[in-house]
Amino acid sequence: MIIKNVSLETVCGITSTLPKNPCMEVAFAGKSNVGKSSLINALMNRKSLARTSSSPGKTQTINFYNVNDAVYLVDLPGYGYAKVSQKEKEQWGQLIERYLHGSSQLQAVFLLIDIRHDPSANDKQMYEWICHNGFEPIIIATKLDKLKRSQVAKQVKAVKEGLAVRPGTVVIPFSAETKQGREEIWALIDQMLAEGQEE
């Protein structure tokens, strides 16, 4: 996709009404600090539209980025962040669940996992939960530039095994630094857009 225009169109907090968007949505889930905002910026060719932060737990809302009036990239709150209260975690969980159930335009959920580490209990729980909500998550293994090339296949395998992914699950190694993986992600989104137009 050639990015012509992008904007942060809607920000939904815990009490907000979810927008009824006119076009397809793809959502990005992942634990705090896994690189969701960096990924979204890389996809949109923008340096800082999605606010990145070295302190986890920055995204506490669902942010809808409109790309070319064709698709929304939806940034979900990070999970597994220790420094927020249990009540806040539950509220974020309810917000995400309300979105997964309530959006009529949501076509796919991308789950971001740090390629350097085996998936955490929170990652496994999120994977199962997305599947339970009727989606087949596409896994993006982030921070690829932090690995030696010789380690990549082994770590991708560890991610797949750690999540016990379903057969046929797509895993895309990605680096916000080098933009490796960006074209594959857009190719999947473009394919979904094309399929949506055929219906």
Side-chain angles (χ1 to χ4, degrees):
M1 179 177 287
I2 315 281
I3 312 287
K4 299 193 178 93
N5 51 59
V6 295
S7 63
L8 172 55
E9 193 171 283
T10 314
V11 176
C12 279
I14 288 158
T15 56
S16 310
T17 307
L18 292 166
K20 297 260 185 288
N21 287 325
C23 46
M24 182 180 100
E25 298 166 4
V26 293
F28 296 86
K31 68 180 174 199
S32 299
N33 244 13
V34 74
K36 275 202 314 307
S37 300
S38 300
L39 167 73
I40 289 170
N41 283 328
L43 287 175
M44 297 188 296
N45 278 341
R46 297 294 186 276
K47 284 248 185 315
S48 57
L49 192 59
R51 286 203 305 276
T52 56
S53 165
S54 55
S55 59
K58 198 77 181 159
T59 307
Q60 301 183 9
T61 49
I62 298 182
N63 297 337
F64 293 82
Y65 296 93
N66 180 338
V67 180
N68 293 358
D69 291 323
V71 62
Y72 286 89
L73 305 184
V74 183
D75 189 1
L76 300 175
Y79 56 82
Y81 178 47
K83 285 194 183 158
V84 298
S85 68
Q86 191 56 38
K87 180 168 183 270
E88 272 186 290
K89 282 184 195 166
E90 282 167 14
Q91 286 176 323
W92 291 356
Q94 286 160 0
L95 176 64
I96 296 171
E97 188 159 25
R98 187 157 62 90
Y99 171 65
L100 292 179
H101 283 302
S103 168
S104 56
Q105 296 285 17
L106 179 60
Q107 288 298 315
V109 181
F110 290 88
L111 178 60
L112 280 65
I113 305 286
D114 187 330
I115 196 167
R116 299 171 299 172
H117 309 295
D118 289 348
S120 66
N122 279 325
D123 290 330
K124 292 174 198 173
Q125 196 178 357
M126 192 68 184
Y127 178 77
E128 288 299 322
W129 193 53
I130 296 168
C131 292
H132 178 70
N133 277 291
F135 293 94
E136 293 278 338
I138 298 154
I139 309 300
I140 300 178
T142 61
K143 309 196 191 255
L144 175 63
D145 49 280
K146 306 277 196 286
L147 285 187
K148 292 193 179 83
R149 190 166 289 177
S150 59
Q151 299 170 298
V152 173
K154 176 172 146 292
Q155 288 306 114
V156 166
K157 186 165 178 260
V159 166
K160 285 182 173 173
E161 287 174 356
L163 293 174
V165 296
R166 297 173 177 195
T169 298
V170 175
V171 178
I172 301 173
F174 174 80
S175 163
E177 293 294 315
T178 66
K179 307 288 187 286
Q180 188 177 333
R182 180 180 184 275
E183 297 310 315
E184 288 98 313
I185 296 167
W186 269 121
L188 283 175
I189 295 172
D190 285 338
Q191 188 185 337
M192 289 173 216
L193 281 168
E195 284 165 6
Q197 281 154 4
E198 285 165 16
E199 283 170 16

